[in-house]
Amino acid sequence: MSSLKEIFEGLPIDPLPPTKPRDETIAHAPMRTPNLSHDEQSLALENALRYFPPEIHETLAEEFVDELRNYGHIYMYRLMPTTELRAYPIDQIPARTRHAAAIIHMILNNLDPCVAQFPQELVTYGGNGQVFSNWAQFLLTMKYLSEMTDEQTLVMYSGHPAGLFPSSPSAPRVVVTNGMVIPNYSSREMYEKMFALGVSLYGQMTAGSYCYIGPQGIVHGTTLTVLNAARKHLGCTDMAGKVFVSSGLGGMSGAQPKAAAICGCIGVVAEVSKEALEKRYNQGWVMKVTDSLDECISLIRQAKKQKKACSIGYRGNVVDLWERLVYEYESTGDLLVDLGSDQTSCHNPFQGGYYPVQLSYEEARVEMHENPVRFKNLVQESLRRHVDAINRLSVRGMFFWDYGNAFLLEAGRAGADVGEKSGVTGTTFRYPSYVQDIMGDIFSLGFGPFRWVCTSGDPGDLDITDEIATSVLEDIINKGVSLNTKQQYEDNIRWIKEANQNKLVVGSQARILYSDQNGRKEIATAFNEAVGSKKLKGPVVISRDHHDVSGTDSPYRETSNIYDGSAFCADMAVQNCIGDAFRGATWVALHNGGGVGWGEVINGGFGLVLDGSNEAREKARRMLAWDVSNGVNRRSWAGNAKAEETICRTMEENPSLKVTVPHHVQDKDLLKRVLKN
């Protein structure tokens, strides 16, 4: 394949393209170890061959078996396009509808080698966050989308395009489900097996819903988290000379050094993968790199002395870094770290999400495949050392928080001293979740990660949308808002004004800011008007991270501050997805899994194309109101005072909104008296 048009022609069967070796100059997903029986291997092969006519089964069968045995999955490398995959301008995409072309634009961005973590394995981020299970699914999906009309809906079963079905112009153009496994079988072991069989996949949050916008997607949230952690726990607003230490530069975690620099502090992020570290360095997201602990410590000391914003990528294991920081404190009395966290893909610790300190990166990738039991033991031993070093520095004044990546959950399972306590409302640890401690109140105010993508691919369009968003938020402030809401708006206005100079774009011309219901509706309306008036050269896609006010039910992250016993219930995320679908979303997605792991979370997402029409304006206002109010109401019912104030104010502004207002127990001794009797 050599032209963009060719990726929309379906499966290349007559003739088959030649076999293709993997490109060993780029990063690849770790070899998986699904431990399939002989019969299960046969079933995986049969499932893969279903995409092809019988006359070529013999040609493909041996090749697919080799992939299954060598990589633990059938990716169908032979079918990888030779066409460069990236977010092509919408006018270059051959499709019958603008909405379908916009969805193609988003999918191609997810698979852009500049964006995707392991592009040849169709992994966007998080180690196993797939867009599709194999390349046949990609090619079939592209063909369906290019042929789709406004009276059809594409149904996606965990990467598998089931087909185009009759619907209506007001229905979503695509409905995506990923990993919707019967709860009793939603275990990590079953995931590995079902993925190897080609029947289910892990869509992460925004990979399998086609809404990933590169590490920028989390950099704003990371910036807010680091800033507010410093305000709350270090008592400072000026972070000059403060040091933030973490790990992971592969996907979303790549935002950490950029966020640290924006905050004005010194960010030190460890990464074991040379390819991942070099990728972020070449993109300008890391200022300095080193594979020497001595040099790393020297760079930290120098930056602290100069009080100069700096981001340092350490190529090595973060456990070595933490233990060296302990050594520096115990030998010199210098506490060289003020804030700490972790963003390894600990939701997938035994398949490449976490690398044990006892092995090199290369040794670990072999060991996890050839000796998975020993590898698991090494990971758990490493986690215990990891936590021990953090504990030693924490008692000396360093503040550490859990970033919702299942780090403390897996460390606790490994026997590390994380102060684990379990109760009816969930599990708590020595260190708080960043949602509980830092970001929870922001969600309760209705603020969350609102995103947009300019499908024209023109940076000038992105500049215009930045100006529009700034103007809209300033107008809202001038009309009068509460003090808490005003502070959030002002933080985001400052962010959006500085976004361009921070060079945040990787892949599509995209932007993110945190906004509430009112801000999202007004910004979307203004964007739609700009598209309709031709001020913008192409449609704008709006979406959000599933990590938002109402998109996700996750007891160890998004809903970790839900204390009424419903933290393990997933009604909110499912209702969110269903409600968005009939209120106007262009596509919706419902996933099992996300940043904290398979079986630990249910999340729902959407995409909405603003094409300048009156219909798009009404869909945006209708859907965005629901998308936010759903989550605020959930938090209100669970006892969050800020959420209760927000939902009551929203009801006053919108007479058609009626919610059940909770009456919380005021007499705190009442329950004790009654239970005693």
Side-chain angles (χ1 to χ4, degrees):
M1 301 179 194
S2 58
S3 71
L4 181 60
K5 184 180 178 181
E6 286 179 314
I7 68 173
F8 301 103
E9 294 179 347
L11 298 181
I13 292 171
D14 188 17
L16 275 170
T19 57
K20 296 185 184 74
R22 301 202 314 176
D23 181 354
E24 297 305 332
T25 66
I26 64 173
H28 288 281
M31 293 180 288
R32 302 184 184 278
T33 312
N35 295 319
L36 300 184
S37 67
H38 181 273
D39 288 345
E40 288 167 339
Q41 290 181 51
S42 177
L43 183 57
L45 179 59
E46 187 174 358
N47 288 345
L49 292 171
R50 287 184 296 185
Y51 290 100
F52 307 92
E55 57 266 26
I56 59 173
H57 282 185
E58 188 167 349
T59 302
L60 294 174
E62 192 167 328
E63 182 179 317
F64 288 173
V65 166
D66 286 344
E67 288 187 12
L68 184 62
R69 289 174 176 170
N70 291 332
Y71 309 120
H73 189 74
I74 300 171
Y75 295 107
M76 306 184 188
Y77 290 116
R78 179 195 285 260
L79 301 183
M80 288 187 301
T82 57
T83 302
E84 178 187 7
L85 300 187
R86 59 181 175 84
Y88 287 89
I90 191 170
D91 290 337
Q92 296 180 23
I93 296 173
R96 297 177 67 181
T97 79
R98 298 285 269 178
H99 288 187
I103 297 169
I104 292 168
H105 179 93
M106 301 291 284
I107 291 175
L108 292 178
N109 185 67
N110 273 233
L111 294 172
D112 180 344
C114 292
V115 175
Q117 186 178 11
F118 306 126
Q120 292 198 337
E121 288 74 46
L122 303 116
V123 173
T124 301
Y125 70 94
N128 59 350
Q130 306 280 149
V131 188
F132 301 100
S133 185
N134 57 58
W135 286 103
Q137 292 178 348
F138 166 78
L139 292 171
L140 286 171
T141 300
M142 292 296 101
K143 181 175 174 60
Y144 280 134
L145 286 170
S146 69
E147 296 174 346
M148 171 188 287
T149 72
D150 284 331
E151 293 190 348
Q152 292 174 307
T153 292
L154 176 60
V155 175
M156 299 295 298
Y157 282 13
S158 288
H160 167 67
L164 293 172
F165 292 83
S167 59
S168 71
S170 61
R173 297 281 65 82
V174 184
V175 175
V176 181
T177 52
N178 286 313
M180 288 290 105
V181 175
I182 303 302
N184 210 37
Y185 303 92
S186 187
S187 66
R188 184 176 290 152
E189 293 72 24
M190 285 298 290
Y191 154 69
E192 293 293 342
K193 184 165 292 189
M194 287 185 287
F195 180 62
L197 291 174
V199 296
S200 194
L201 63 71
Y202 193 91
Q204 264 285 350
M205 300 184 101
T206 53
S209 63
Y210 324 141
C211 292
Y212 188 61
I213 61 170
Q216 179 187 178
I218 198 64
V219 70
H220 184 25
T222 306
T223 300
L224 290 176
T225 302
V226 173
L227 280 174
N228 284 294
R231 289 169 181 169
K232 183 172 183 179
H233 296 284
L234 303 182
C236 68
T237 54
D238 180 359
M239 294 193 67
K242 303 298 182 183
V243 178
F244 167 57
V245 171
S246 188
S247 57
L249 289 171
M252 299 287 261
S253 57
Q256 295 180 109
K258 174 69 78 172
I262 292 171
C263 291
C265 68
I266 302 148
V268 187
V269 185
E271 171 57 60
V272 293
S273 166
K274 178 182 178 181
E275 296 93 343
L277 180 57
E278 288 182 347
K279 185 176 185 177
R280 295 301 173 219
Y281 178 70
N282 292 333
Q283 290 171 343
W285 285 59
V286 178
M287 297 176 184
K288 299 178 180 180
V289 296
T290 180
D291 59 5
S292 163
L293 270 177
D294 288 341
E295 184 180 10
C296 184
I297 296 299
S298 177
L299 288 171
I300 293 172
R301 290 186 182 279
Q302 183 180 358
K304 278 181 68 69
K305 184 177 180 180
Q306 295 175 347
K307 293 192 173 183
K308 184 178 180 181
C310 178
S311 57
I312 303 165
Y314 166 62
R315 185 189 167 200
N317 197 290
V318 72
V319 178
D320 284 328
L321 176 58
W322 280 116
E323 290 180 342
R324 177 60 181 269
L325 290 167
V326 171
Y327 170 80
E328 292 295 323
Y329 176 78
E330 292 179 345
S331 60
T332 69
D334 292 338
L335 184 64
L336 297 180
V337 53
D338 302 282
L339 299 172
S341 193
D342 184 87
Q343 276 203 35
T344 54
S345 296
C346 239
H347 67 277
N348 184 35
F350 311 123
Q351 289 288 330
Y354 182 95
Y355 285 80
V357 66
Q358 306 93 324
L359 302 176
S360 70
Y361 177 64
E362 292 75 16
E363 291 170 341
R365 288 173 71 85
V366 173
E367 191 73 6
M368 74 176 72
H369 180 67
E370 295 185 352
N371 196 346
V373 174
R374 178 172 180 267
F375 183 78
K376 179 179 180 179
N377 290 335
L378 290 174
V379 165
Q380 293 188 322
E381 179 187 325
S382 183
L383 282 167
R384 292 193 292 271
R385 284 175 56 180
H386 196 154
V387 169
D388 180 65
I390 289 167
N391 289 347
R392 288 170 179 264
L393 294 170
S394 176
V395 297
R396 302 301 179 186
M398 183 267 295
F399 175 72
F400 185 90
W401 70 88
D402 183 277
Y403 228 134
N405 63 333
F407 171 67
L408 291 182
L409 182 64
E410 287 301 331
R413 289 169 176 169
D417 181 11
V418 293
E420 184 175 352
K421 295 179 182 178
S422 297
V424 69
T425 58
T427 300
T428 58
F429 300 100
R430 178 194 302 269
Y431 305 107
S433 157
Y434 77 115
V435 173
Q436 290 172 302
D437 189 59
I438 302 168
M439 299 296 285
D441 281 350
I442 293 176
F443 283 172
S444 295
L445 290 168
F447 282 82
F450 179 61
R451 299 173 170 181
W452 64 88
V453 175
C454 298
T455 64
S456 67
D458 188 333
D461 269 10
L462 187 60
D463 291 341
I464 292 171
T465 59
D466 285 348
E467 294 169 4
I468 291 172
T470 300
S471 177
V472 166
L473 297 184
E474 288 174 340
D475 286 347
I476 292 174
I477 291 177
N478 291 335
K479 291 175 183 176
V481 293
S482 69
L483 187 60
N484 285 332
T485 299
K486 182 180 179 183
Q487 181 181 351
Q488 293 301 320
Y489 276 140
E490 288 176 343
D491 281 351
N492 281 280
I493 289 169
R494 188 180 309 113
W495 161 265
I496 209 72
K497 285 181 175 179
E498 296 176 358
N500 199 25
Q501 69 189 52
N502 284 315
K503 298 179 181 179
L504 299 170
V505 170
V506 176
S508 60
Q509 294 297 314
R511 189 68 78 220
I512 180 172
L513 62 75
Y514 270 52
S515 185
D516 62 354
Q517 178 185 139
N518 192 26
R520 297 185 206 202
K521 288 194 302 180
E522 295 305 320
I523 290 172
T525 300
F527 286 171
N528 191 63
E529 183 179 330
V531 174
S533 67
K534 308 298 184 184
K535 185 176 181 180
L536 294 173
K537 296 175 182 176
V540 173
V541 171
I542 59 170
S543 69
R544 55 162 169 72
D545 194 347
H546 301 206
H547 169 62
D548 194 11
V549 181
S550 68
T552 299
D553 284 296
S554 173
Y556 298 106
R557 194 160 79 177
E558 284 79 6
T559 46
S560 59
N561 62 340
I562 298 293
Y563 302 115
D564 66 348
S566 69
F568 296 101
C569 300
D571 300 81
M572 179 177 72
V574 176
Q575 289 280 2
N576 180 266
C577 181
I578 295 171
D580 284 350
F582 65 72
R583 286 180 174 88
T586 308
W587 73 95
V588 292
L590 188 66
H591 300 197
N592 169 17
V596 296
W598 182 273
E600 306 284 3
V601 53
I602 298 292
N603 62 80
F606 76 86
L608 176 62
V609 178
L610 300 174
D611 59 9
S613 66
N614 291 334
E615 292 81 1
R617 182 191 65 224
E618 292 309 311
K619 285 180 177 180
R621 298 186 74 83
R622 218 173 25 236
M623 194 207 69
L624 291 171
W626 158 252
D627 196 70
V628 176
S629 288
N630 176 38
V632 176
N633 188 47
R634 165 86 187 278
R635 286 169 167 76
S636 167
W637 193 252
N640 187 285
K642 283 188 171 63
E644 195 167 334
E645 292 172 10
T646 302
I647 198 69
C648 288
R649 185 171 63 253
T650 306
M651 277 198 293
E652 292 174 2
E653 296 167 353
N654 184 358
S656 65
L657 172 64
K658 303 290 182 184
V659 303
T660 306
V661 178
H663 299 285
H664 303 296
V665 175
Q666 301 298 314
D667 182 357
K668 300 302 181 183
D669 293 326
L670 171 63
L671 304 181
K672 293 180 181 178
R673 293 198 305 271
V674 173
L675 288 171
K676 185 177 180 179
N677 293 335

